[in-house]
Amino acid sequence: MMEKIKAIKIKKEMKVSELVDEMKEAGFGARKMGKAVEIMKEMFSDEECKVFLGVAGAMVAAGMKEIIIDIIKEEKINVFVTTGANLTHDLIEALGESHYHCDYWDDKDFHAKEFDRMYNVFMKNQVYEKIEEFFEKNWEKFQNSKNITGFLKKIGELLPRGNNSILRICYEKKIPIFCPGISDSGIGLMVWGRLASGKNISIDVFDDMKEIIDIAWGSKKNGVIYVGGGFPKNFIQQSLQFSKGADYGIQITTDRPESGGSSGAPLEEGISWGKMKKDAKHIDIFCDATIALPLLFASIKN
Amino acid sequence: MMEKIKAIKIKKEMKVSELVDEMKEAGFGARKMGKAVEIMKEMFSDEECKVFLGVAGAMVAAGMKEIIIDIIKEEKINVFVTTGANLTHDLIEALGESHYHCDYWDDKDFHAKEFDRMYNVFMKNQVYEKIEEFFEKNWEKFQNSKNITGFLKKIGELLPRGNNSILRICYEKKIPIFCPGISDSGIGLMVWGRLASGKNISIDVFDDMKEIIDIAWGSKKNGVIYVGGGFPKNFIQQSLQFSKGADYGIQITTDRPESGGSSGAPLEEGISWGKMKKDAKHIDIFCDATIALPLLFASIKN
Amino acid sequence: MMEKIKAIKIKKEMKVSELVDEMKEAGFGARKMGKAVEIMKEMFSDEECKVFLGVAGAMVAAGMKEIIIDIIKEEKINVFVTTGANLTHDLIEALGESHYHCDYWDDKDFHAKEFDRMYNVFMKNQVYEKIEEFFEKNWEKFQNSKNITGFLKKIGELLPRGNNSILRICYEKKIPIFCPGISDSGIGLMVWGRLASGKNISIDVFDDMKEIIDIAWGSKKNGVIYVGGGFPKNFIQQSLQFSKGADYGIQITTDRPESGGSSGAPLEEGISWGKMKKDAKHIDIFCDATIALPLLFASIKN
Amino acid sequence: MMEKIKAIKIKKEMKVSELVDEMKEAGFGARKMGKAVEIMKEMFSDEECKVFLGVAGAMVAAGMKEIIIDIIKEEKINVFVTTGANLTHDLIEALGESHYHCDYWDDKDFHAKEFDRMYNVFMKNQVYEKIEEFFEKNWEKFQNSKNITGFLKKIGELLPRGNNSILRICYEKKIPIFCPGISDSGIGLMVWGRLASGKNISIDVFDDMKEIIDIAWGSKKNGVIYVGGGFPKNFIQQSLQFSKGADYGIQITTDRPESGGSSGAPLEEGISWGKMKKDAKHIDIFCDATIALPLLFASIKN
């Protein structure tokens, strides 16, 4: 079967879904974007499929929060794995602070102004005060949190009803958040501050694994969406490795495969490990996630 | 002036222009996409500005032809610089042949089938026959073409009225096409075939420069759009270097700056050379052009 | 001060140190490699400086183990932060198993053969049995390990004297290993196996932070070497952020800055956060670490 | 055949050739560097093989000139294809001017100082005066140059005996230089200057193709070395496409394959086109060429 490339024809007032439909008939990255929407629709509508979403990179600071929240509210995913950084940025906004643009920058000047930069985004260093205060005030309430997922669930529970944050919405929707590297984040630093002042807490690092592997085992099919690699991708992959590989996969990354890291590895590589099934429907998108994510979700929004 | 990041909110039936508007309020690449639309609108509506479009990479084979044709038809650009490959693919389609998708491939198998692959796109090797026939039939008509621009204009003239190709539309719209490396292409190969059989033609390699530099000199302002670097970018840049630098600039490339090539160099670097004015409005987009181009043009289409 | 580029002159039987000396007088990446050696020599010879080495990417599987071991044996670093994957690959080799080359691959075929691929390297899936056996046999001995560093130190202690592994050599040399994401690894999976069978262990996820931040606080100067980004880089950076920024920095990564992740962020960005001092000597190298690391260490070996 | 990864062991005073030998037993990019040396040795010692070297990127400005000159002097290659930029930088140095380092830069400041920047390398804008003078003085001598190769050979002939430049050494060694895009360069600009002042010259753009294709046809075997893609790679490839594909291939590039350009395309893709033989020995190296080239040539220097 040989399908001809059809050149993309731009129309006035074109909808995103129409544009991505046209992309599927073109080549290179456009083609893959179109295929990704096709796979995503099938993954989300397959009722036997549990969906694992892994998000690395400072996606919340960069304005991807509402997309993630909508995915969770619409119950499109069953498991959310992300970095401590994303959860910290989410908590920062949950507590009333903001992130900012910067099209030009001077890091020495930013340091003097106490602005912490992430490429063309920054936050004020004072945001840490709000997080510190949050943990100081609520410290005792974390005494019953025994693992990382439980600790994160407690944060969501402590935020007020209606708070527009990933942490709160996951709590309300009962979506577990996994974050093996939670200590590697602003949240981690603020917990360290309490520990340094003599307070205690006991959060086990391995305990969560049972829960995520059980979900992978218990489902009939699994689907994965990896935004940006890192340990969110790896943690989901290893949960699938010894249970059952994914049936659907979408990966968005700008990392290279040649340097051998997990973040840049194509999904296909996961087949060798059993992290992905041999006949899985899968696609790798090479694109900045702040461009690809909005395109994909605007295409499937209904 | 500190502007807050506003998280992108996906709406049902969202238009591309609405999405890219939202992207401008987000961070990382999304922000840049939004800024690029802003700059592009200003560049296209500035009546004192001549626009130079440089396109490298196999954009025609990958389905970007209609976008380029629309830009030319709508008289948004004044100069078009591209690779011999793009013109060859355009001529291939002008003569009735096609390009095809391939999501999977085996290059040895493709060789046996006589399929020529460009990442996830291919064409049949037999397309060269049509080009060969075209030059064989029309050879005498190229005797008066004295430079590359003239040679390419002649191809456009020889294609039938209404032929939906870049070569034809540029001819009709009187947009000069520059292609310093024309011999480095399928068109070059087919010309070589005639020369090898004893025919003659005389196309000067330096003569075109006068025309493009005159356009740059003669305008009040200049704007540049670089898709994918290569010599299309460099040839436009050097035309501006000793005349007057660009006032507006948009660059789409996935090449790295660190390895020192022109294709990956940020537009900012051009300021040192005088290829871009000190206070030019400019933006570099790091994105596969088959994703970025449709997004940008769907955003400004009216 | 304007220094001329001096073209690199290759000599017969040239030593690596001579070549990298010449590179310093050239441009692009060569220049940076030369500068990195200069900074590394200064960092290692500064007796007031504590050195933090962060290693992401499957560097052990790819044959970088002996270099890391030599750095530790020669007491060039004070803190080692790495991924669970690297520690798993180290333990695999410590227990007598191996990694292999593959210049060509077919992931479905590899799956059938039970080969787990990492780009052009693979291991047999059966290596997990050895790790499982190791934890099964030694389980009780981990009951006193209260944090991740302690857990990893215990693994090193349990390996026989003279075992040529990073885990053992760090134990012998009293170099703490930090690995916030330890559960995200083959070691994590084998611990999960024991937990799933009803066994217990209690390793706190936040407790380590005190130790690494104390080291950063207690030193007069700090130096950082980041191989490949990920949480090893981020965890070191946040330890410096609220104590004292680094005076020296070397980063080797092939990730892009534009997509906003920590792995691709230039060291310069760390100045805004206070993770790096304003006048720190620092260099970013854009190169596959399996090429850059051997070049750098062969240049300083004495 | 399963070969174990052997970790690289750094030795005191290690030679580059010894290090690269060890790299061959490691993984990721190190492995490829080792393989490239193996293929290069075989290519250079195969007496039936003609070698085509294509060099894009500002390699001369960045200090790679002596390596290229040595390759030519040692008669390791038969055809040299490069960009007008490289030939311009070579002519600049041939006429007594220099290139310079810059570890930090400010493009607006550089513009004020008339420094033209290429990443961390720059030249003074006044270098153009020397080239202008050269062409002004020698203009009449180019009247007999009928194609680009002839034009470039004439430049080499006009440089004094013993001048340490690629242009001169190629002339002395009778190595043809091909540069389809010669007008896209500083040399092009200086020729334009003469044309603009009413002088004449007539250099045919297609005529060279006969010569390079004849070389490819006439050889028993062909080998290719591509530094950085661009039209040097493409022009060599198309010369092989309709004659006989390459038997050996080495490519050094940091461009991505996904965006579909020729520069980032793996050598394997060339098999579909017939540009590379099905059983060719070939390797793609993902590395800054200013690091890879010195490593490779120091490894084979004898």
Side-chain angles (χ1 to χ4, degrees):
Chain A
M1 180 197 60
M2 282 177 42
E3 275 181 284
K4 286 186 188 175
I5 296 275
K6 238 186 82 198
I8 293 173
K9 180 73 187 169
I10 302 297
K11 287 190 288 281
K12 264 171 84 165
E13 311 277 304
M14 201 169 196
K15 288 178 206 160
V16 178
S17 57
E18 293 169 330
L19 181 62
V20 178
D21 263 6
E22 295 247 350
M23 282 182 169
K24 195 157 74 82
E25 308 305 316
F28 303 166
R31 166 72 171 171
K32 293 182 163 199
M33 198 65 78
K35 292 286 286 184
V37 164
E38 196 176 72
I39 292 171
M40 193 175 272
K41 281 179 179 168
E42 195 174 336
M43 187 193 310
F44 285 162
S45 66
D46 185 337
E47 300 194 355
E48 295 184 322
C49 180
K50 300 269 189 202
V51 179
F52 295 70
L53 172 63
V55 176
M59 289 295 110
V60 171
M64 298 299 116
K65 186 176 77 170
E66 293 287 352
I67 291 174
I68 297 170
I69 285 176
D70 279 356
I71 295 170
I72 296 164
K73 279 190 178 166
E74 295 173 14
E75 303 185 347
K76 290 196 162 69
I77 63 165
N78 303 84
V79 174
F80 183 53
V81 185
T82 195
T83 60
N86 271 317
L87 296 173
T88 300
H89 294 298
D90 185 61
L91 185 57
I92 285 167
E93 298 195 357
L95 299 174
E97 295 287 347
S98 296
H99 295 92
Y100 298 86
H101 292 303
C102 52
D103 295 332
Y104 305 100
W105 54 82
D106 171 334
D107 287 306
K108 290 173 189 170
D109 179 54
F110 270 33
H111 184 61
K113 290 177 172 145
E114 304 197 4
F115 290 171
D116 300 334
R117 183 170 74 87
M118 291 152 274
Y119 195 59
N120 61 2
V121 171
F122 70 94
M123 63 181 191
K124 299 177 191 169
N125 200 52
Q126 72 194 33
V127 299
Y128 288 105
E129 295 167 21
K130 286 270 180 64
I131 312 180
E132 185 163 33
E133 200 181 288
F134 176 83
F135 282 106
E136 187 66 29
K137 194 176 78 181
N138 295 300
W139 190 257
E140 290 311 312
K141 294 170 188 147
F142 290 101
Q143 294 302 321
N144 292 322
S145 304
K146 290 303 171 207
N147 59 25
I148 301 167
T149 295
F151 172 79
L152 297 171
K153 190 176 157 191
K154 176 59 68 178
I155 299 178
E157 188 186 335
L158 290 167
L159 291 170
R161 190 186 308 268
N163 182 283
N164 191 39
S165 64
I166 294 171
L167 283 156
R168 177 70 200 177
I169 305 299
C170 279
Y171 169 74
E172 292 181 1
K173 286 292 184 179
K174 298 190 174 28
I175 299 297
I177 304 177
F178 295 96
C179 180
I182 184 63
S183 71
D184 177 33
S185 70
I187 289 175
L189 278 175
M190 293 307 113
V191 169
W192 159 80
R194 310 287 76 65
L195 300 181
S197 71
K199 292 186 169 164
N200 288 302
I201 196 175
S202 174
I203 307 292
D204 193 78
V205 69
F206 291 112
D207 192 72
D208 284 347
M209 301 183 77
K210 290 180 291 187
E211 187 171 347
I212 189 170
I213 295 176
D214 279 356
I215 298 170
W217 258 121
S219 65
K220 287 216 170 129
K221 291 186 193 167
N222 292 311
V224 297
I225 303 172
Y226 302 134
V227 178
F231 70 72
K233 174 184 177 182
N234 203 61
F235 196 63
I236 293 172
Q237 283 203 319
Q238 75 170 29
S239 303
L240 299 170
Q241 182 180 357
F242 288 106
S243 50
K244 51 180 65 134
D247 301 81
Y248 304 101
I250 293 167
Q251 170 169 286
I252 303 167
T253 185
T254 63
D255 293 347
R256 304 275 323 197
E258 295 90 343
S259 35
S262 162
S263 303
L267 288 174
E268 188 80 14
E269 190 176 292
I271 291 174
S272 74
W273 297 76
K275 296 164 178 175
M276 180 144 296
K277 286 189 187 153
K278 275 192 295 183
D279 54 353
K281 294 179 179 174
H282 61 92
I283 195 93
D284 299 324
I285 293 180
F286 162 59
C287 189
D288 184 313
T290 63
I291 297 170
L293 267 186
L295 264 183
L296 294 178
F297 285 98
S299 296
I300 62 156
K301 180 79 180 180
N302 51 29
Chain B
M1 179 199 60
M2 284 179 38
E3 276 182 283
K4 287 186 188 175
I5 297 275
K6 239 186 82 198
I8 293 173
K9 180 73 188 169
I10 301 298
K11 288 191 288 282
K12 263 173 84 165
E13 311 277 304
M14 201 170 196
K15 290 178 205 158
V16 178
S17 57
E18 293 169 326
L19 181 62
V20 177
D21 263 6
E22 295 246 351
M23 282 183 168
K24 195 156 76 78
E25 308 305 317
F28 303 167
R31 167 71 172 173
K32 294 182 161 195
M33 199 64 80
K35 292 286 285 184
V37 165
E38 197 176 70
I39 293 171
M40 194 175 270
K41 281 179 179 167
E42 197 175 334
M43 185 193 312
F44 284 162
S45 66
D46 185 337
E47 300 195 355
E48 295 184 321
C49 180
K50 300 268 189 202
V51 179
F52 295 70
L53 173 62
V55 177
M59 289 295 110
V60 171
M64 299 298 115
K65 187 176 77 170
E66 293 287 351
I67 291 175
I68 297 169
I69 285 176
D70 280 356
I71 295 170
I72 296 162
K73 279 190 177 166
E74 296 174 13
E75 303 184 349
K76 290 196 162 70
I77 63 165
N78 303 85
V79 174
F80 183 53
V81 185
T82 196
T83 60
N86 271 317
L87 296 172
T88 300
H89 294 298
D90 185 61
L91 185 56
I92 284 167
E93 298 195 0
L95 299 174
E97 294 287 346
S98 296
H99 295 92
Y100 299 85
H101 293 303
C102 53
D103 295 332
Y104 306 97
W105 53 82
D106 171 334
D107 287 306
K108 290 173 188 169
D109 178 54
F110 270 34
H111 183 62
K113 290 176 173 145
E114 303 196 6
F115 291 170
D116 300 335
R117 182 170 75 86
M118 292 152 275
Y119 195 59
N120 60 3
V121 171
F122 71 94
M123 62 183 191
K124 298 178 191 168
N125 201 54
Q126 73 194 34
V127 297
Y128 289 104
E129 294 167 21
K130 285 270 178 68
I131 312 180
E132 184 163 35
E133 199 180 290
F134 175 84
F135 282 106
E136 187 65 30
K137 196 176 77 180
N138 294 300
W139 190 255
E140 290 311 313
K141 296 172 186 144
F142 290 101
Q143 293 303 321
N144 292 321
S145 305
K146 289 303 170 208
N147 60 24
I148 301 167
T149 295
F151 171 79
L152 297 172
K153 191 176 155 190
K154 177 58 69 180
I155 299 179
E157 191 187 333
L158 289 167
L159 292 169
R161 190 186 309 267
N163 182 283
N164 191 40
S165 64
I166 295 170
L167 283 155
R168 178 69 199 177
I169 305 298
C170 280
Y171 169 74
E172 292 180 0
K173 287 290 184 179
K174 299 191 174 24
I175 299 297
I177 304 177
F178 296 96
C179 179
I182 183 64
S183 71
D184 177 33
S185 69
I187 289 175
L189 278 175
M190 294 305 114
V191 170
W192 158 81
R194 309 285 78 61
L195 301 180
S197 73
K199 293 187 168 162
N200 289 301
I201 196 175
S202 173
I203 308 291
D204 193 78
V205 68
F206 292 113
D207 192 72
D208 284 346
M209 300 183 76
K210 291 182 290 189
E211 186 171 348
I212 189 169
I213 294 175
D214 280 355
I215 298 170
W217 259 121
S219 64
K220 288 217 171 125
K221 290 187 193 165
N222 292 311
V224 297
I225 303 172
Y226 301 134
V227 178
F231 71 72
K233 173 185 177 182
N234 203 60
F235 196 63
I236 293 172
Q237 283 203 319
Q238 75 169 28
S239 304
L240 299 170
Q241 183 182 356
F242 289 105
S243 52
K244 50 181 63 137
D247 301 82
Y248 303 101
I250 293 166
Q251 169 168 288
I252 302 167
T253 184
T254 61
D255 292 349
R256 304 276 322 198
E258 294 90 342
S259 36
S262 162
S263 303
L267 288 174
E268 187 80 13
E269 190 176 292
I271 291 176
S272 73
W273 297 76
K275 296 163 179 174
M276 179 143 295
K277 287 189 186 150
K278 275 192 294 183
D279 53 354
K281 293 180 181 174
H282 60 90
I283 195 92
D284 299 324
I285 292 180
F286 162 59
C287 189
D288 184 314
T290 63
I291 297 169
L293 268 185
L295 264 183
L296 294 178
F297 285 99
S299 296
I300 62 156
K301 180 79 180 179
N302 51 31
Chain C
M1 181 197 60
M2 284 178 40
E3 276 181 281
K4 286 185 188 175
I5 296 275
K6 241 186 81 200
I8 293 173
K9 180 72 188 169
I10 301 297
K11 288 191 287 283
K12 263 172 83 164
E13 311 278 304
M14 202 169 196
K15 289 178 206 160
V16 178
S17 57
E18 293 170 328
L19 181 61
V20 177
D21 263 5
E22 296 246 350
M23 282 182 168
K24 195 156 75 79
E25 308 305 317
F28 304 166
R31 166 71 172 171
K32 294 182 162 197
M33 199 64 80
K35 292 287 284 184
V37 164
E38 196 176 71
I39 292 170
M40 194 176 270
K41 281 179 180 168
E42 197 175 335
M43 185 193 311
F44 284 163
S45 65
D46 185 337
E47 300 195 354
E48 295 184 322
C49 180
K50 300 270 189 201
V51 179
F52 295 70
L53 172 63
V55 177
M59 290 295 109
V60 171
M64 299 298 116
K65 186 175 77 171
E66 293 287 351
I67 291 174
I68 296 169
I69 285 176
D70 280 356
I71 294 169
I72 296 163
K73 279 190 179 166
E74 296 174 13
E75 304 183 347
K76 290 196 162 72
I77 63 166
N78 303 86
V79 174
F80 183 54
V81 185
T82 195
T83 59
N86 272 316
L87 296 173
T88 300
H89 294 298
D90 184 61
L91 184 56
I92 285 167
E93 297 196 359
L95 300 174
E97 294 287 347
S98 296
H99 295 92
Y100 299 85
H101 293 303
C102 52
D103 296 332
Y104 306 98
W105 54 81
D106 171 335
D107 288 306
K108 289 173 189 168
D109 178 54
F110 270 34
H111 183 62
K113 290 177 173 146
E114 304 196 4
F115 291 170
D116 299 335
R117 183 170 75 86
M118 292 152 275
Y119 195 58
N120 61 2
V121 171
F122 70 94
M123 62 181 191
K124 299 178 192 168
N125 201 54
Q126 73 193 37
V127 297
Y128 288 105
E129 295 167 21
K130 285 270 179 68
I131 312 179
E132 184 162 35
E133 200 181 290
F134 175 83
F135 282 106
E136 186 67 29
K137 195 176 77 181
N138 295 298
W139 190 255
E140 290 310 312
K141 295 170 188 148
F142 290 102
Q143 293 303 321
N144 292 321
S145 305
K146 289 303 169 206
N147 60 25
I148 301 168
T149 296
F151 173 78
L152 296 172
K153 190 175 155 190
K154 176 58 70 179
I155 300 180
E157 189 187 333
L158 290 167
L159 291 169
R161 190 186 308 268
N163 182 284
N164 192 40
S165 64
I166 294 171
L167 283 155
R168 177 69 198 178
I169 304 298
C170 280
Y171 169 75
E172 292 181 1
K173 286 290 183 180
K174 299 189 174 27
I175 300 296
I177 304 176
F178 296 96
C179 179
I182 184 65
S183 72
D184 177 33
S185 70
I187 288 176
L189 278 175
M190 293 306 115
V191 170
W192 159 79
R194 307 288 77 61
L195 300 181
S197 72
K199 292 186 170 166
N200 289 302
I201 196 175
S202 174
I203 307 292
D204 192 78
V205 69
F206 292 112
D207 191 73
D208 283 346
M209 301 183 76
K210 291 181 291 186
E211 187 172 347
I212 190 170
I213 295 176
D214 279 355
I215 297 171
W217 257 120
S219 64
K220 287 216 172 127
K221 292 186 191 166
N222 292 310
V224 297
I225 303 172
Y226 302 133
V227 177
F231 71 70
K233 173 185 177 182
N234 203 60
F235 196 63
I236 293 172
Q237 283 204 318
Q238 74 170 27
S239 305
L240 299 170
Q241 183 181 357
F242 288 106
S243 52
K244 51 180 64 137
D247 301 82
Y248 304 101
I250 293 166
Q251 169 168 287
I252 302 166
T253 185
T254 62
D255 293 348
R256 305 276 320 200
E258 295 90 343
S259 35
S262 162
S263 303
L267 288 174
E268 188 80 13
E269 191 176 291
I271 290 176
S272 73
W273 297 75
K275 296 164 178 175
M276 179 144 296
K277 287 189 186 152
K278 276 193 293 183
D279 53 355
K281 293 179 179 173
H282 60 90
I283 195 93
D284 298 325
I285 293 179
F286 162 58
C287 189
D288 183 313
T290 63
I291 296 170
L293 267 186
L295 264 183
L296 294 177
F297 285 99
S299 296
I300 61 156
K301 180 79 180 181
N302 51 30
Chain D
M1 180 198 59
M2 283 177 42
E3 275 181 282
K4 286 185 188 176
I5 297 276
K6 239 186 82 200
I8 293 174
K9 179 73 187 169
I10 302 298
K11 287 191 286 282
K12 265 171 83 164
E13 312 278 304
M14 200 169 195
K15 289 178 204 158
V16 178
S17 57
E18 293 169 327
L19 181 62
V20 178
D21 263 6
E22 295 246 351
M23 281 182 169
K24 195 157 73 81
E25 308 305 317
F28 303 166
R31 167 71 172 172
K32 293 182 163 197
M33 197 65 78
K35 291 287 285 183
V37 165
E38 196 176 73
I39 292 170
M40 194 176 271
K41 281 179 179 167
E42 196 173 336
M43 186 193 310
F44 285 163
S45 65
D46 185 337
E47 300 194 353
E48 296 184 321
C49 179
K50 300 268 189 203
V51 178
F52 295 69
L53 173 63
V55 176
M59 289 295 109
V60 172
M64 299 298 115
K65 186 176 77 171
E66 293 287 352
I67 291 175
I68 297 170
I69 286 176
D70 279 357
I71 294 170
I72 296 163
K73 279 190 178 165
E74 295 174 13
E75 303 184 348
K76 291 196 160 71
I77 63 166
N78 303 85
V79 174
F80 183 54
V81 185
T82 195
T83 60
N86 271 317
L87 297 172
T88 299
H89 294 298
D90 185 60
L91 185 56
I92 285 167
E93 297 196 358
L95 299 173
E97 295 287 347
S98 295
H99 295 92
Y100 299 86
H101 293 303
C102 53
D103 295 332
Y104 305 99
W105 54 83
D106 170 335
D107 287 306
K108 289 173 189 169
D109 178 54
F110 270 33
H111 184 61
K113 290 177 173 145
E114 304 196 4
F115 290 170
D116 299 336
R117 183 170 73 86
M118 291 152 274
Y119 195 59
N120 60 2
V121 171
F122 70 94
M123 64 181 190
K124 299 176 191 169
N125 200 53
Q126 72 193 35
V127 298
Y128 287 105
E129 295 168 20
K130 286 269 179 68
I131 312 180
E132 185 163 33
E133 202 181 286
F134 175 84
F135 282 106
E136 187 66 29
K137 196 176 77 181
N138 295 300
W139 190 255
E140 291 311 311
K141 296 171 187 146
F142 290 102
Q143 293 303 322
N144 292 321
S145 304
K146 290 301 168 208
N147 60 24
I148 300 168
T149 295
F151 172 79
L152 296 172
K153 190 175 156 192
K154 177 57 71 179
I155 299 178
E157 189 186 334
L158 291 166
L159 291 170
R161 190 186 307 270
N163 182 283
N164 191 40
S165 64
I166 294 171
L167 283 155
R168 178 70 199 177
I169 304 298
C170 280
Y171 169 75
E172 292 181 1
K173 287 291 184 179
K174 299 190 173 27
I175 300 297
I177 304 177
F178 296 96
C179 179
I182 184 64
S183 71
D184 176 33
S185 69
I187 289 175
L189 278 175
M190 294 306 113
V191 169
W192 159 78
R194 311 285 79 62
L195 300 180
S197 73
K199 292 186 168 163
N200 289 302
I201 195 176
S202 174
I203 308 291
D204 193 78
V205 69
F206 292 113
D207 191 73
D208 284 346
M209 299 183 76
K210 290 181 291 189
E211 188 171 346
I212 189 170
I213 295 176
D214 279 355
I215 298 170
W217 258 121
S219 65
K220 288 216 170 129
K221 292 186 192 167
N222 292 311
V224 297
I225 303 172
Y226 302 133
V227 178
F231 71 72
K233 173 184 177 182
N234 203 60
F235 196 63
I236 293 172
Q237 283 203 318
Q238 74 171 29
S239 304
L240 299 170
Q241 183 181 355
F242 288 105
S243 52
K244 50 180 67 137
D247 301 81
Y248 305 101
I250 293 167
Q251 170 168 287
I252 302 167
T253 185
T254 62
D255 293 348
R256 304 274 324 196
E258 293 91 342
S259 34
S262 162
S263 303
L267 288 174
E268 187 80 14
E269 190 175 293
I271 290 175
S272 73
W273 297 76
K275 297 164 178 174
M276 181 144 294
K277 286 190 187 152
K278 275 192 294 183
D279 54 354
K281 293 177 181 175
H282 61 90
I283 195 94
D284 299 324
I285 292 180
F286 162 58
C287 189
D288 184 312
T290 63
I291 296 170
L293 267 186
L295 264 183
L296 294 178
F297 285 99
S299 296
I300 61 156
K301 180 78 179 179
N302 51 29

